[in-house]
Amino acid sequence: MTGVRVVSLKVDGPQTIPADGGYHIVRFPYIGESYDPWEMHTPTQPDGSTVTNWKTDDQSGLIWPSVAGWGTLTSLIYWESGDYDELRDRYVRDPLGVYDSTATEHRPPSPGIQCWHKSHEMFVRPDVPVALLVAQDASTARKVTLAEFKLAIHPVEEP
């Protein structure tokens, strides 16, 4: 087996998240500040689709693990200030298919900008993408102003 494989994504432009109570995939560009030597985040997806506009296509939020293994997921989410009662985030396996969520957190807001960091571990596989999803309950749409999403895979032999 090879060593640890890492993908690190960052978006520092705002993404508008509707005030609909539903979860939304955080989308990431394919250029800019990122690290992806194992091509786990590319516009040409392993399922055969191609992302033409990362800002509007939820598939731009997918990380496709390059090997099976024990994955460490880490994220950073900055929300603009707003009249929130609760902010939510979660990691999801296969968010556009089976939708298997894990590490769901619901948080009350603090004064001013909302800055959150989370991490979680789980098994990952190359045929099951993972994503970071967020939700908010303000009276109107609000913006995620900065987001990072990282996956470090410690490869393991599949049983």
Side-chain angles (χ1 to χ4, degrees):
M1 276 276 120
T2 61
V4 175
R5 296 185 180 199
V6 176
V7 59
S8 176
L9 309 177
K10 180 178 181 180
V11 60
D12 57 8
Q15 283 185 47
T16 301
I17 307 300
D20 60 7
Y23 282 93
H24 300 273
I25 294 174
V26 178
R27 297 176 303 276
F28 293 90
Y30 296 100
I31 58 172
E33 186 176 333
S34 65
Y35 179 77
D36 188 20
W38 289 277
E39 298 184 341
M40 293 187 260
H41 182 255
T42 62
T44 303
Q45 307 270 301
D47 67 0
S49 63
T50 299
V51 175
T52 57
N53 185 344
W54 74 267
K55 291 181 178 182
T56 60
D57 191 331
D58 282 343
Q59 287 201 220
S60 69
L62 303 181
I63 291 177
W64 293 83
S66 59
V67 294
W70 186 245
T72 299
L73 297 161
T74 307
S75 60
L76 174 75
I77 308 162
Y78 285 13
W79 290 90
E80 69 178 331
S81 59
D83 62 338
Y84 310 101
D85 288 323
E86 188 173 67
L87 294 163
R88 300 176 179 182
D89 49 72
R90 63 178 27 161
Y91 295 123
V92 178
R93 294 176 193 92
D94 197 13
L96 299 174
V98 175
Y99 199 89
D100 178 18
S101 66
T102 186
T104 298
E105 295 184 77
H106 297 196
R107 300 181 174 106
S110 59
I113 190 172
Q114 309 301 307
C115 303
W116 308 105
H117 175 270
K118 71 186 289 151
S119 62
H120 184 69
E121 292 86 21
M122 64 185 192
F123 283 106
V124 296
R125 297 186 348 233
D127 60 334
V128 180
V130 294
L132 169 65
L133 279 70
V134 296
Q136 58 92 5
D137 68 352
S139 60
T140 62
R142 294 289 185 219
K143 292 181 176 71
V144 168
T145 59
L146 172 77
E148 295 181 11
F149 183 34
K150 303 161 189 310
L151 171 63
I153 306 170
H154 302 267
V156 296
E157 297 289 335
E158 292 194 62

